[in-house]
Amino acid sequence: MGKDVPPGVFSREDRVRYRQKVRRCLDVFALMLDDFGFDADRPTTGLEVELNLVDGQAEPAMRNAEILANLADPTFQTELGQFNLELNARPRLIEGAGFTDYEEDLRASLGRAEDRAVKAHATIILIGILPTLTPRHLVLDNLSTNERYRVLNDQIVTARGEDIGLDIAGVERLQTYTDSIAPEAACTSVQFHLQVAPDSFANYWNASQAIAGIQVAVGANSPFLYGKQLWAETRVALFEQATDTRPDELKAQGVRPRVWFGERWITSIFDLFEENVRYFPPLLPICEDEDPVEVLHNGGVPMLGELRLHNGTVYRWNRPVYDVMNGRPHLRVENRVLPAGPTVVDMLANAAFYFGLARELAEADRPIWSQLPFSAAEENFHSAARRGIAATVYWPRMGEVRVTDLVLDVLLPKAYAGLDRFGVRPADRDRLLGIIEERCRTGRNGAVWQTEAVSAAQRGRGMSRTAALHEMLQRYGELQRSNAPVHTWPVPD
């Protein structure tokens, strides 16, 4: 939800007008899907990375405004917390040397940001959840200064009508309450965008849903929150709970959560936008001047601002995106399931695995979603978030299988084939998918390294949990800057 919003309270009239406008946009979108020329000639990709800032003691550093002002770089933006930044890489094709271009671009951009961060007595960390965060950091006063975050907080808290409960049972258990959405700022992710044609969107979204659990298992990097060891990818549970607008009574009635895996396979992107309008009341009822019907009638390209804004307040793990670039509309799948980090090359390995596997499954003669129950895909997702690379998942014709065996025996060959369909340079394909293979062979990803490092400090050297987390994060930052894949990182004695 990147749109600036005006201060003030929304009136009942605002909400009625917005609901009408969203439905008008939805009708226009349906017409466009029938006979409009979408940009789908070549499958452009995109990548966003959410970053954390820490000080010299590995504590969260509330300095994003200062660093952004010194950067003066439009590819960097604020995120929810003052200790967050977001980097939006330039969209590109991954054919040929596209992944090498991404790596050089990301490392150069992060280098510039790190230079400005150091001048502000901070450093950048790529991680799913900063392990040194405490409840005193995740408070309303530490939200970024952009007014849109305060308005969004007010709307979510008002919709819920009471404090937001966090209850995450993993290796240990966290139970607490918050009076704001500030804990959502702890969730930092990497997001992959894949541009697709309207008639193939459903295939790509369904494929992305089917493999979401596998992605999370292999890429988990968020085992700690508030000093407790919880899920391998605690970010999933935290994000689902920290933005939940439903009190217990609405949960019991089956009202859908705004952070949502979904409930069915789809046949069109329209299914998802229609569900947004049908199930979710507006959080930010801000109307644009555009009349989409008139724009379409006059041969223009409607921006559909209200529909897009509403879509941005429904937090699907695989989000549908309608956008307009250079006067042409296009559609994207935004894959949002993975945490940031541990390194640039680890994130690009995750990207290569996702792009390759999604394409191969989306274009398969027998779709995976015709064999995998949707409920099983959702259960895989949450099981993988809990147990990470040690998870067991359900897969057609294999039954219950260790995720590492599934990846090595079945899914990696498909990812190789999918990257070949994209025309990825073999050297990049082999290097990046080789990282996924080695993670599975060694059973080591970011979450495993973090928990082993903390355990070694506590049990081996008698450190407190708090001291162990700070030491681990400082060592994590050093290893991250080496850009060596996380499965090769040594664990301190």
Side-chain angles (χ1 to χ4, degrees):
M1 200 286 294
K3 182 178 175 62
D4 289 335
V5 298
V9 178
F10 298 113
S11 68
R12 287 177 292 181
E13 291 77 9
D14 289 334
R15 296 185 182 280
V16 170
R17 183 166 58 252
Y18 183 82
R19 179 175 283 110
Q20 293 171 343
K21 191 73 179 293
V22 167
R23 293 185 180 279
R24 191 172 177 87
C25 287
L26 187 64
D27 291 341
V28 168
F29 187 53
L31 293 173
M32 294 178 68
L33 289 174
D34 283 341
D35 58 10
F36 207 90
F38 284 80
D39 187 1
D41 300 334
R42 305 180 77 187
T44 302
T45 67
L47 191 151
E48 302 174 47
V49 190
E50 295 167 350
L51 319 172
N52 290 283
L53 303 169
V54 298
D55 63 19
Q57 287 71 50
E59 290 278 304
M62 308 298 170
R63 294 170 193 157
N64 67 356
E66 177 184 353
I67 293 167
L68 280 173
N70 290 333
L71 260 174
D73 183 343
T75 62
F76 287 89
Q77 301 173 1
T78 59
E79 253 299 330
L80 184 59
Q82 292 182 33
F83 59 93
N84 302 140
L85 291 173
E86 181 177 274
L87 167 60
N88 293 279
R90 176 180 55 81
R92 70 199 71 200
L93 301 171
I94 56 172
E95 69 179 26
F99 279 110
T100 295
D101 290 343
Y102 262 132
E103 185 170 4
E104 293 173 352
D105 188 7
L106 288 172
R107 295 191 70 185
S109 294
L110 289 169
R112 292 194 303 274
E114 178 70 5
D115 178 66
R116 302 305 190 277
V118 168
K119 292 177 181 176
H121 307 290
T123 192
I124 290 171
I125 297 289
L126 303 168
I127 200 166
I129 294 177
L130 268 183
T132 55
L133 283 166
T134 68
R136 68 182 173 85
H137 298 122
L138 296 176
V139 295
L140 191 60
D141 285 347
N142 285 338
L143 294 188
S144 292
T145 55
N146 193 309
E147 187 64 31
R148 70 176 185 260
Y149 299 120
R150 298 299 179 107
V151 174
L152 184 63
N153 174 78
D154 292 347
Q155 294 303 302
I156 289 177
V157 171
T158 299
R160 186 178 177 97
E162 59 189 44
D163 285 353
I164 298 170
L166 303 178
D167 186 352
I168 306 172
V171 176
E172 298 165 350
R173 187 170 186 179
L174 173 67
Q175 290 179 294
T176 188
Y177 285 88
T178 176
D179 62 0
S180 75
I181 65 169
E184 183 194 337
C187 304
T188 42
S189 65
V190 59
Q191 297 154 25
F192 307 135
H193 292 252
L194 181 59
Q195 183 177 318
V196 295
D199 59 359
S200 61
F201 182 94
N203 286 7
Y204 277 90
W205 189 86
N206 289 341
S208 298
Q209 291 286 96
I211 62 175
I214 315 304
Q215 290 181 265
V216 168
V218 174
N221 195 32
S222 312
F224 294 103
L225 175 64
Y226 290 175
K228 294 182 180 291
Q229 184 181 346
L230 301 170
W231 294 9
E233 190 49 42
T234 304
R235 183 183 123 268
V236 167
L238 177 59
F239 193 43
E240 289 178 343
Q241 295 182 26
T243 54
D244 199 340
T245 58
R246 306 168 302 162
D248 290 343
E249 295 81 2
L250 292 185
K251 294 178 189 176
Q253 293 174 37
V255 172
R256 279 83 173 171
R258 293 195 91 98
V259 178
W260 198 29
F261 189 82
E263 60 190 18
R264 63 187 175 113
W265 306 118
I266 65 169
T267 58
S268 166
I269 188 175
F270 185 82
D271 296 347
L272 301 176
F273 281 97
E274 193 273 335
E275 283 180 347
N276 290 352
V277 174
R278 177 156 35 111
Y279 293 142
F280 299 101
L283 282 181
L284 300 169
I286 304 165
C287 286
E288 307 281 357
D289 293 333
E290 176 189 82
D291 181 343
V293 174
E294 181 178 342
V295 172
L296 186 65
H297 179 73
N298 291 334
V301 179
M303 298 300 293
L304 306 183
E306 293 80 6
L307 190 70
R308 294 163 64 199
L309 177 58
H310 188 53
N311 183 53
T313 64
V314 180
Y315 304 99
R316 296 177 185 272
W317 292 107
N318 284 293
R319 176 184 276 166
V321 176
Y322 166 86
D323 206 351
V324 180
M325 293 291 291
N326 301 318
R328 292 193 68 186
H330 69 262
L331 306 177
R332 304 195 303 269
V333 178
E334 181 185 6
N335 179 254
R336 302 159 47 84
V337 306
L338 285 172
T343 64
V344 168
V345 75
D346 279 306
M347 292 188 296
L348 290 175
N350 292 337
F353 185 58
Y354 168 68
F355 289 135
L357 187 53
R359 179 153 187 181
E360 186 68 10
L361 293 178
E363 299 183 9
D365 292 335
R366 188 180 179 196
I368 187 66
W369 53 96
S370 70
Q371 308 165 61
L372 180 69
F374 193 91
S375 59
E378 182 174 14
E379 179 57 32
N380 286 349
F381 179 68
H382 287 100
S383 295
R386 289 186 186 95
R387 299 201 60 211
I389 205 162
T392 297
V393 296
Y394 173 82
W395 200 254
R397 296 195 298 277
M398 299 183 74
E400 297 294 324
V401 58
R402 291 190 304 178
V403 72
T404 50
D405 292 339
L406 176 63
V407 172
L408 291 170
D409 296 341
V410 177
L411 300 184
L412 264 178
K414 294 182 183 297
Y416 274 92
L419 292 183
D420 287 342
R421 287 178 185 259
F422 276 112
V424 172
R425 188 168 64 180
D428 289 349
R429 176 201 65 196
D430 295 348
R431 176 188 180 218
L432 296 175
L433 292 185
I435 290 171
I436 302 298
E437 179 178 354
E438 287 306 307
R439 275 192 223 157
C440 291
R441 292 198 186 283
T442 60
R444 303 185 60 75
N445 59 13
V448 170
W449 186 89
Q450 288 189 54
T451 55
E452 287 185 356
V454 169
S455 177
Q458 286 188 267
R459 297 178 185 175
R461 285 174 281 136
M463 297 178 70
S464 69
R465 173 64 65 82
T466 298
L469 288 171
H470 282 74
E471 180 189 77
M472 178 272 285
L473 186 59
Q474 288 176 318
R475 181 60 177 150
Y476 180 106
E478 295 168 2
L479 291 166
Q480 171 197 293
R481 286 185 283 279
S482 75
N483 203 36
V486 71
H487 71 269
T488 68
W489 289 8
V491 176
D493 295 330

